[in-house]
Amino acid sequence: MQEQGTLVAEQSMVMKANRKRVWQAITTAKHFSSWFGLRVEISRLEPGGEFKFLEFENNLPGKIVTVEPPELFEFEWTPEAGVPVYTLVTFRLEEVEGGTRVTMRESGFEKLPEQYRKSRFEGNSEGWSIQIHNLDKYLKEGRDIGEN
Amino acid sequence: MERTDLVFNALADATRRELLTVLARTSPRTATQLVGDFTITRQGILKHLDVLAQAGLVEVQPKGRERRYSLSPRPLDGVNDWIEAINATWRERLTRLKDLVESDEPL
């Protein structure tokens, strides 16, 4: 499904709530807006449905890609109005003991134009885990070999 | 273009990412050796290697009549920093999602 070596951000967290409840929180506009930090509007909850971010001067277009309750929700969004490049955001919900494991993955960053990468980077300098899927693994091996 | 832009530009192509992956497994290799792993021509491979070299992602050493290419992953550190920042934003969002679903609020 995923192209090898694509640049991804990935975060996973266990939440003490059932999948249905988490599903509601990520697929209804009102709840999504409250935790995501930007107001969204959802035209209809199905593939091809609009998933629009309203906070900016120009609305940021987004499109729902996958709706498989209560397991998988995917949408595409663009970093800036007028930038014809999209990243794919995937939410996977798994039942685990005591709740739900929520795994978020945003992929396709290598396609973004320069000015967006810069603004996004300057806005956040805090560091967390690093994920460059597949490629990262091989590159680390390569780096180890290179340094020995 | 700045170095980071060259790196992103280099990574934006699936064949070049595949080239890096192959070189990460076995380096150094010549273009002739690499051709066997790909469906494109030797000339195509050389063009891609040139883009990777300009971004500093591969090093080139002359060896007899051929050049040998090795992986040079250091420029990826800038990309890593950038992805880290995006991960930080997502972690904050997921923490707020967790607070919401673990609260008493009806959903």
Side-chain angles (χ1 to χ4, degrees), chain B residues 35-85:
Chain B
V35 166
D37 290 330
F38 292 84
T39 51
I40 59 171
T41 61
R42 184 168 182 280
Q43 206 171 10
I45 296 276
L46 285 169
K47 268 188 193 165
H48 283 307
L49 285 169
D50 192 42
V51 174
L52 292 170
Q54 277 176 34
L57 287 164
V58 303
E59 274 168 22
V60 194
Q61 298 152 328
K63 164 86 177 174
R65 286 184 190 177
E66 278 227 90
R67 293 160 152 212
R68 285 149 54 108
Y69 297 87
S70 324
L71 181 75
S72 164
R74 194 76 57 200
L76 284 172
D77 291 347
V79 177
N80 285 350
D81 290 346
W82 186 76
I83 295 282
E84 261 186 85

Side-chain angles (χ1 to χ4, degrees), chain A residues 5 9 11 14 27 31 33 49 52-53 56 73 76-77 85 90 92-93 122 134 148:
Chain A
Q11 293 293 322
V14 173
T27 58
H31 300 307
S33 304
K52 202 162 45 175
F53 292 81
F56 300 100
F73 178 59
E76 290 179 325
W77 68 318
V85 176
T90 302
R92 196 173 290 280
L93 310 184
E122 280 158 12
N134 291 345
N148 285 339

